[in-house]
Amino acid sequence: LLISKGLNYLTIMAPGNLWHMRNNFLFGSRCWMTRFSAEIIFKSVSFRLFGVKCHNADSEPLKNEDLLKNLLTMGVDIDMARKRQPGVFHRMITNEQDLKMFLLSKGASKEVIASIISRYPRAITRTPENLSKRWDLWRKIVTSDLEIVNILERSPESFFRSNNNLNLENNIKFLYSVGLTRKCLCRLLTNAPRTFSNSLDLNKQMVEFLQAAGLSLGHNDPTDFVRKIIFKNPFILIQSTKRVKANIEFLQSTFNLNSEELLVLICGPGAEILDLSNDYARRSYANIKEKLFSLGCTEEEVQKFVLSYPDVIFLAEKKFNDKIDCLMEENISISQIIENPRVLDSSISTLKSRIKELVNAGCNLSTLNITLLSWSKKRYEAKLKKLSRFA
């Protein structure tokens, strides 16, 4: 076999019986050939890969070049946007310029707009009409355009996740009708926007369930009961009634609470526990109980500890155990921890560094009010400075 190359030709000396070859479109090359007695000559026409706009499952449509150019000009982080919602970049029709002009008219800066699109690129698929209608609905809850812009800057998904404005309008009307205040709806909108993406029926089911639960526990104002729980736990409406019911039963049976005590708990510090997986809540409490029993605590002390600070149930088993061990290693007694459960809010690294600073300041941890281990940085540092002066 003899192969010779020129600038434009590839000549292959081949046996006489090799006389036919087909164009190969798989790799995008096109050739013509002339048959000679013992040679085939290929002339290269183009070896550049070619793209075809198609929409079957085995291919990917061309990128929207105008979209990429517009987003780059707007300062959007393309890499972040691609990772968040890559499908947006395969759309041939988008509304990024309309979105930009709309948000600018509402007081958003170019930087904020770029950040919104970078983190939630699906925003550019919304039409001007949809944006305007949705904004007007939000203004029924939020007092100013600037406040909405600030919400979008923190959480663009809350505004752009759904484009079903009729569902949003119906949910707003319903939640107002059951006694929720504008302040409460604003909290839902900023913390649990999925509430307004729920179907109206789902929200009705949860509200009716909570009203019935309040009445069964002796609350004489079901509207007030619902309002208190939602204000304490804005995520309650995006949970299932089955989960909430299981957790109410868990709290009542585990801590032997009467109806009045249970009402106080779930309308106050225990409201957020209603969000948890019931299996997780039970496992977490079993671990807390086992750990504190191993340190000599009684059943009564364990229950007092959890009821005084129900958020402790949210701690993963290892994290809870490690924090208790960390404090005990520094000669802080279990009774101090039981009396000041909020100390477990702090990370282990924060606990260790603050304990070291307090010891260096001459503090006796066994007699110290250890709640300062969980204080804000500013408040803690002011207290440490004061303690150091008296050391």
Side-chain angles (χ1 to χ4, degrees), residues 27 39 44 79 97 106 109 116 180 182 185 204 236 249 258 279 288 301 304 321 334 363 380:
F27 298 103
E39 70 178 34
S44 173
D79 289 339
Q97 295 292 1
K106 300 300 182 182
S109 67
I116 288 171
L180 298 189
R182 186 169 184 162
L185 285 185
K204 282 183 175 180
I236 192 75
E249 291 172 351
N258 60 37
D279 286 342
I288 293 168
E301 287 173 324
K304 176 187 174 184
N321 294 342
I334 191 61
C363 297
Y380 165 75

Side-chain angles (χ1 to χ4, degrees), residues 216-218 252 257-264:
S216 70
L217 293 173
Q252 187 166 29
L257 302 173
N258 60 37
S259 294
E260 185 178 351
E261 291 168 333
L262 183 58
L263 277 173
V264 171

Side-chain angles (χ1 to χ4, degrees), residues 25 27-30 44-51:
F25 286 95
F27 298 103
S29 60
R30 293 176 290 165
S44 173
V45 175
S46 173
F47 286 95
R48 181 173 59 85
L49 298 180
F50 66 90

Side-chain angles (χ1 to χ4, degrees), residues 37-60:
S37 59
E39 70 178 34
I40 301 172
I41 300 175
F42 291 80
K43 178 171 175 59
S44 173
V45 175
S46 173
F47 286 95
R48 181 173 59 85
L49 298 180
F50 66 90
V52 180
K53 186 171 76 175
C54 49
H55 301 279
N56 60 49
D58 298 321
S59 62
E60 180 179 306

Side-chain angles (χ1 to χ4, degrees), residues 37-217:
S37 59
E39 70 178 34
I40 301 172
I41 300 175
F42 291 80
K43 178 171 175 59
S44 173
V45 175
S46 173
F47 286 95
R48 181 173 59 85
L49 298 180
F50 66 90
V52 180
K53 186 171 76 175
C54 49
H55 301 279
N56 60 49
D58 298 321
S59 62
E60 180 179 306
L62 282 174
K63 303 291 189 295
N64 185 335
E65 296 296 336
D66 288 338
L67 169 61
L68 293 176
K69 192 182 300 180
N70 287 340
L71 294 184
L72 285 169
T73 302
M74 292 167 68
V76 172
D77 186 331
I78 301 296
D79 289 339
M80 179 188 292
R82 282 183 194 274
K83 289 177 182 176
R84 297 282 175 101
Q85 292 163 348
V88 171
F89 291 87
H90 301 322
R91 291 177 178 249
M92 298 310 295
I93 298 176
T94 51
N95 303 308
E96 63 278 0
Q97 295 292 1
D98 291 330
L99 175 65
K100 176 184 174 182
M101 297 308 297
F102 179 83
L103 292 178
L104 283 173
S105 73
K106 300 300 182 182
S109 67
K110 293 179 180 179
E111 292 75 19
V112 166
I113 296 169
S115 174
I116 288 171
I117 297 173
S118 298
R119 289 178 291 135
Y120 203 80
R122 201 175 295 154
I124 66 175
T125 66
R126 305 299 183 235
T127 65
E129 296 76 19
N130 182 278
L131 290 171
S132 182
K133 175 63 174 176
R134 197 164 193 81
W135 198 276
D136 290 343
L137 289 171
W138 271 49
R139 280 301 307 271
K140 291 183 177 181
I141 300 172
V142 183
T143 55
S144 69
D145 287 344
L146 183 58
E147 191 176 350
I148 297 179
V149 169
N150 290 335
I151 294 171
L152 265 60
E153 185 177 6
R154 295 194 305 272
S155 173
E157 182 181 4
S158 61
F159 187 88
F160 296 105
R161 185 175 188 269
S162 169
N163 63 352
N164 189 337
N165 288 328
L166 179 60
N167 188 64
L168 171 62
E169 186 172 15
N170 288 337
N171 274 317
I172 290 173
K173 288 178 180 177
F174 169 68
L175 294 172
Y176 270 135
S177 75
V178 296
L180 298 189
T181 63
R182 186 169 184 162
K183 182 178 180 181
C184 192
L185 285 185
C186 189
R187 191 157 186 255
L188 285 175
L189 200 58
T190 53
N191 292 292
R194 278 181 53 203
T195 298
F196 298 92
S197 300
N198 278 352
S199 70
L200 181 60
D201 285 343
L202 273 179
N203 283 335
K204 282 183 175 180
Q205 285 174 25
M206 179 57 78
V207 168
E208 289 168 0
F209 166 78
L210 292 175
Q211 289 173 336
L215 287 172
S216 70
L217 293 173

Side-chain angles (χ1 to χ4, degrees), residues 135-351:
W135 198 276
D136 290 343
L137 289 171
W138 271 49
R139 280 301 307 271
K140 291 183 177 181
I141 300 172
V142 183
T143 55
S144 69
D145 287 344
L146 183 58
E147 191 176 350
I148 297 179
V149 169
N150 290 335
I151 294 171
L152 265 60
E153 185 177 6
R154 295 194 305 272
S155 173
E157 182 181 4
S158 61
F159 187 88
F160 296 105
R161 185 175 188 269
S162 169
N163 63 352
N164 189 337
N165 288 328
L166 179 60
N167 188 64
L168 171 62
E169 186 172 15
N170 288 337
N171 274 317
I172 290 173
K173 288 178 180 177
F174 169 68
L175 294 172
Y176 270 135
S177 75
V178 296
L180 298 189
T181 63
R182 186 169 184 162
K183 182 178 180 181
C184 192
L185 285 185
C186 189
R187 191 157 186 255
L188 285 175
L189 200 58
T190 53
N191 292 292
R194 278 181 53 203
T195 298
F196 298 92
S197 300
N198 278 352
S199 70
L200 181 60
D201 285 343
L202 273 179
N203 283 335
K204 282 183 175 180
Q205 285 174 25
M206 179 57 78
V207 168
E208 289 168 0
F209 166 78
L210 292 175
Q211 289 173 336
L215 287 172
S216 70
L217 293 173
H219 201 290
N220 57 10
D221 186 346
T223 297
D224 180 61
F225 176 73
V226 170
R227 185 167 53 244
K228 283 179 178 177
I229 288 189
I230 292 177
F231 190 78
K232 284 289 184 180
N233 182 357
F235 302 99
I236 192 75
L237 289 171
I238 59 177
Q239 305 302 329
S240 69
T241 55
K242 182 179 178 181
R243 170 177 287 195
V244 175
K245 181 181 179 183
N247 282 323
I248 290 175
E249 291 172 351
F250 159 72
L251 290 172
Q252 187 166 29
S253 61
T254 301
F255 299 101
N256 299 314
L257 302 173
N258 60 37
S259 294
E260 185 178 351
E261 291 168 333
L262 183 58
L263 277 173
V264 171
L265 181 63
I266 63 178
C267 288
E272 292 182 357
I273 291 178
L274 303 180
D275 279 348
L276 285 175
S277 153
N278 188 247
D279 286 342
Y280 180 90
R282 290 180 182 278
R283 287 198 311 271
S284 179
Y285 180 69
N287 176 70
I288 293 168
K289 193 173 178 179
E290 180 182 355
K291 181 66 176 178
L292 297 186
F293 275 4
S294 73
L295 296 171
C297 294
T298 64
E299 178 87 30
E300 184 181 355
E301 287 173 324
V302 173
Q303 292 202 356
K304 176 187 174 184
F305 172 73
V306 175
L307 289 176
S308 64
Y309 191 54
D311 281 2
V312 73
I313 290 181
F314 285 86
L315 284 177
E317 294 176 16
K318 185 177 187 307
K319 188 168 287 188
F320 174 80
N321 294 342
D322 288 348
K323 286 185 178 184
I324 294 290
D325 291 341
C326 171
L327 293 167
M328 299 285 288
E329 287 166 3
E330 300 297 337
N331 297 319
I332 293 173
S333 68
I334 191 61
S335 61
Q336 286 176 283
I337 300 171
I338 294 292
E339 293 296 325
N340 304 281
R342 287 183 180 274
V343 71
L344 299 176
D345 276 351
S346 299
S347 67
I348 289 178
S349 60
T350 297
L351 290 173

